[in-house]
Amino acid sequence: MAVSTKYELKLGQATREAFGRALVEIGRENKDVVVCDADLSKSTMVHYFAKEFPDRFFSCGIAEANMVAVGAGLASSGKIPFVASFSAFVLNKGFEQLRVTVAYPNTNVKVVGTHSGISIGEDGPSQMSIEDLALACSLPGFVVLSPADEVAMGAFVRLAASHVGPVFIRAGRPKVPVVYSKDQKFEIGKAIQLLDGKDVTLMAHGLMVAESIRAAEMLDADGISARVIDMPTIKPLDEAAITKAASETGAIVVSEEHLVDGGLGVRVAQVVSRTRPCVMEYVGLENTYAESGSPEALLQKYGLTAAKVAEAARRALRRK
Amino acid sequence: MSTTDLNQLQQFCKLIRRHIVEMITEAKSGHPGGSLSAVEILAVLYKEVMRHDPKNPHWPDRDRFILGKGHACPVLYAIMAECGYTPVSELKTLRQLGSIYQGHPDRRFIPALEASTGSLGQGLSIGLGMALAARLDHRPSRVYVMLGDGEIQEGQIWEAAMFAAFHKVDNIVAIVDYNKIQLDGWVKDIMELEPLAEKWRAFGWHTLELDGHDLEAIRSAFAEAAATKGRPTCLIAHTIKGKGVSFMENNPKFHGTAPTREELALALKELA
């Protein structure tokens, strides 16, 4: 069976939980950090912040368009607003405001979308966010982040607060495996190599990072050496890490809990096609919405599993 | 207001109107009607009401003005230029490549602008964020947002209206430039707003109606807004689209059409 790696992948916090807790910490350190909420504080976990800093917490009601632009006004007057909702709502209902009041004038707004992907589960497609990265990456000047676990989320919330300019952070609903040790260092725009390998590279973000590690273990059992790279920064991309992976392994599989259209995969392909063309495969949602079900059942049905990542790697290797 | 002050302000308004028609004629495109309807309100704000310093445009304690109806930027550009923020000599570069006077207000080109607007319905929300920031920092700043009548058909305006009253934001004033005409024709034929004052009152705003070309009435409305505590104020300014140029007044054509050279000559004669 699978060889063991240094990754135990024990179940940790949901990334939304880690976001909520980190926000309180940076709120204590910087009084300019403020929060805007659209009646989802108990789900996005900004209620921790609301409890400790009621004066710096603005309840906007279920009105995302106004919320985003209020955030832009707060940022224009020197505040560091974290504007949070489900990804599906803040990106889609607030998109025009993200475009005109945040991206275009480059206001220092931090947008946090929780319940991303299909792993929100039973609530179904109206609440699921499968196009948020495509939308966020289309906004010039935005930094777009999708941390894999609680450690990465804690670090990236802090990095987002100190970065000057608009940021989108993608968080998820379910508890996810812990990938990183507490002392891991993160940087905006830097990929992190989790396992080295020479035959194929498995790239991922969010909860597909742990699945890619598991896939590497499966491939290793078949004598295939897979490199695993976490891409927590979707934009700007770590082009050096991508080019290096393309030239050293000659095959890349990109896995994500997002539509393949407009996701990390096509962004990586854009780099590879320019710098070092190689075989590529994609694991993600293929031109479809999902449905209600348990997160596990949905990830299984829509192919977001280690087995599917391994399968894609084998496909890539056959074409190499 | 003394007679001299009043007279000076009237002359200033004429000067601004001349700039507006000249700029737009030169650009061969733009929005004269909604620029001319807003002249008196902006003149009173910039000349008398707002705490601002053109030499220190990012003074944290300044009052802020946001033109929600960004297409009326010629009036804002002319007034900011005459106040010393930007060069008067470049007003006629409006809408040309490289001009700081972009087709809609753009902070990348004029950092003294408080917001980049043009996509209708967003200025009030931005202004509310600024008003809240001032309150958090215990600053005296007040925020003035001018809205078009057509603009307030946007749903976001009413999200913002609810938000402002709920959060008791009393350092913001929304001014509706109620000139009754939007791009496709008369507001009442496109999407009626009436009963407008009742709408704002129902949303929790202290609401006044006034003649938006009466300098004394504008001045006293802003004084009443400043004295209103615990809730936001909305000024519904009844205005005339194209005000000051006879053939543009109440003429939907001049919502978004530039005057010809001949029309400009006629307009300047009336504004002499």
Side-chain angles (χ1 to χ4, degrees):
Chain A
M1 263 313 283
V3 298
S4 63
T5 66
K6 62 175 174 166
Y7 296 99
E8 286 182 54
L9 300 179
K10 283 210 296 226
L11 202 60
Q13 292 172 10
T15 47
R16 63 180 167 132
E17 176 74 21
F19 155 63
R21 292 183 185 280
L23 197 54
V24 173
E25 282 177 31
I26 60 167
R28 286 181 190 139
E29 294 160 21
N30 187 343
K31 69 172 179 49
D32 283 332
V33 171
V34 298
V35 170
C36 296
D37 164 56
D39 190 37
L40 283 169
S41 69
K42 289 173 187 154
S43 304
T44 62
M45 300 300 165
V46 296
H47 68 106
Y48 297 132
F49 186 96
K51 194 171 171 214
E52 187 155 339
F53 307 105
D55 295 346
R56 288 152 54 189
F57 174 82
F58 300 109
S59 168
C60 298
I62 308 168
E64 294 79 7
N66 179 60
M67 174 172 74
V68 170
V70 165
L74 284 160
S76 298
S77 288
K79 299 297 167 194
I80 304 172
F82 278 76
V83 172
S85 183
F86 283 12
S87 278
F89 305 144
V90 71
L91 254 309
N92 291 286
K93 300 191 186 200
F95 189 73
E96 160 67 357
Q97 292 69 26
L98 290 171
R99 186 178 80 92
V100 176
T101 75
V102 181
Y104 157 48
N106 196 38
T107 48
N108 194 24
V109 177
K110 316 304 168 187
V111 183
V112 181
T114 66
H115 298 66
S116 308
I118 63 172
S119 57
I120 175 174
E122 293 79 356
D123 278 341
S126 69
Q127 323 289 300
M128 288 171 176
S129 187
I130 57 172
E131 61 285 90
D132 51 288
L133 297 175
L135 291 168
C137 287
S138 74
L139 296 166
F142 255 74
V143 164
V144 179
L145 304 169
S146 179
D149 74 353
E150 61 186 58
V151 180
M153 178 57 85
F156 277 111
V157 172
R158 193 170 286 275
L159 288 166
S162 53
H163 172 83
V164 180
V167 178
F168 171 64
I169 307 178
R170 185 183 217 234
R173 175 176 177 259
K175 290 179 177 174
V176 286
V178 179
V179 172
Y180 291 106
S181 63
K182 300 271 178 230
D183 57 359
Q184 176 71 42
K185 296 276 178 281
F186 297 90
E187 235 181 287
I188 288 173
K190 286 278 179 251
I192 298 172
Q193 183 171 308
L194 299 170
L195 289 173
D196 197 8
K198 59 179 179 24
D199 299 327
V200 60
T201 299
L202 312 180
M203 284 184 188
H205 61 83
L207 56 71
M208 291 309 289
V209 173
E211 292 306 305
S212 294
I213 292 171
R214 290 181 178 128
E217 292 171 357
M218 293 173 181
L219 293 167
D220 188 80
D222 292 347
I224 298 166
S225 161
R227 177 178 297 187
V228 177
I229 295 181
D230 178 12
M231 300 289 285
T233 308
I234 312 297
K235 184 182 176 180
L237 278 177
D238 186 341
E239 297 201 4
I242 294 168
T243 305
K244 188 164 179 276
S247 63
E248 290 177 2
T249 69
I252 297 177
V253 176
V254 182
S255 308
E256 54 193 325
E257 192 192 3
H258 188 274
L259 285 171
V260 170
D261 290 326
L264 173 67
V266 298
R267 292 177 54 74
V268 169
Q270 198 178 19
V271 174
V272 165
S273 66
R274 194 178 66 237
T275 60
R276 183 66 171 77
C278 74
V279 175
M280 284 193 69
E281 287 287 338
Y282 309 89
V283 175
L285 287 159
E286 296 277 4
N287 198 28
T288 185
Y289 293 101
E291 62 200 276
S292 287
S294 72
E296 300 73 25
L298 288 171
L299 293 170
Q300 196 73 39
K301 172 163 180 180
Y302 290 89
L304 300 174
T305 60
K308 290 289 181 187
V309 177
E311 208 177 288
R314 289 189 189 98
R315 268 200 318 272
L317 287 172
R318 282 198 293 274
R319 295 199 289 124
K320 205 168 134 179
Chain B
M1 212 183 298
S2 75
T3 322
T4 332
D5 290 345
L6 197 62
N7 193 271
Q8 277 181 359
L9 211 47
Q10 282 164 347
Q11 291 310 312
F12 181 73
C13 289
K14 270 194 179 173
L15 169 68
I16 297 304
R17 287 197 161 92
R18 288 196 295 274
H19 282 315
I20 291 170
V21 289
E22 285 180 323
M23 292 164 80
I24 298 175
T25 306
E26 194 66 36
K28 299 187 186 73
S29 71
H31 300 81
S35 301
L36 293 167
S37 63
V39 171
E40 279 79 10
I41 295 161
L42 264 74
V44 172
L45 273 174
Y46 275 85
K47 284 296 197 182
E48 300 197 350
V49 173
M50 291 205 301
R51 291 157 54 90
H52 68 121
D53 178 4
K55 289 187 187 62
N56 188 9
H58 298 298
W59 178 31
D61 284 354
R62 72 191 181 280
D63 290 344
R64 288 157 172 81
F65 175 79
I66 295 172
L67 186 65
K69 43 174 282 185
H71 55 276
C73 55
V75 61
L76 180 58
Y77 293 157
I79 288 194
M80 287 181 75
E82 286 295 343
C83 286
Y85 282 101
T86 51
V88 174
S89 60
E90 290 175 25
L91 282 173
K92 285 187 187 171
T93 64
L94 175 72
R95 291 178 163 247
Q96 289 173 22
L97 186 65
S99 173
I100 62 165
Y101 300 116
Q102 294 277 298
H104 289 82
D106 189 330
R107 289 174 69 197
R108 298 174 306 169
F109 291 82
I110 303 179
L113 286 167
E114 300 294 354
S116 296
T117 52
S119 175
L120 296 173
Q122 309 198 23
L124 187 55
S125 307
I126 299 170
L128 285 165
M130 293 174 178
L132 287 173
R135 184 159 88 185
L136 273 180
D137 292 341
H138 308 289
R139 294 190 189 280
S141 306
R142 294 177 59 74
V143 181
Y144 299 89
V145 183
M146 172 168 277
L147 307 171
D149 45 13
E151 176 177 20
I152 65 178
Q153 291 160 353
E154 290 277 8
Q156 189 184 341
I157 292 293
W158 303 99
E159 293 184 2
M162 262 191 287
F163 178 94
F166 175 74
H167 287 284
K168 300 183 171 58
V169 187
D170 57 10
N171 55 342
I172 193 159
V173 181
I175 308 131
V176 180
D177 180 8
Y178 198 6
N179 60 35
K180 324 284 188 301
I181 293 173
Q182 58 190 113
L183 188 147
D184 266 347
W186 292 88
V187 172
K188 65 178 168 50
D189 299 326
I190 309 293
M191 180 53 65
E192 175 66 291
L193 297 169
E194 291 297 337
L196 187 56
E198 281 89 330
K199 284 192 176 76
W200 286 95
R201 286 188 188 116
F203 275 76
W205 289 59
H206 179 57
T207 304
L208 301 174
E209 293 192 73
L210 65 145
D211 174 348
H213 301 303
D214 179 338
L215 295 169
E216 305 250 30
I218 295 166
R219 195 189 199 196
S220 82
F222 282 123
E224 185 170 331
T228 301
K229 300 297 171 201
R231 56 190 174 142
T233 296
C234 175
L235 306 183
I236 297 177
H238 292 276
T239 57
I240 294 169
K241 197 136 182 169
K243 172 75 175 176
V245 179
S246 59
F247 56 90
M248 291 188 181
E249 287 190 2
N250 288 323
N251 183 351
K253 176 188 156 190
F254 284 103
H255 166 87
T257 306
T260 61
R261 289 273 162 207
E262 296 68 33
E263 286 168 333
L264 173 66
L266 284 173
L268 290 176
K269 214 178 207 176
E270 292 185 20
L271 294 169

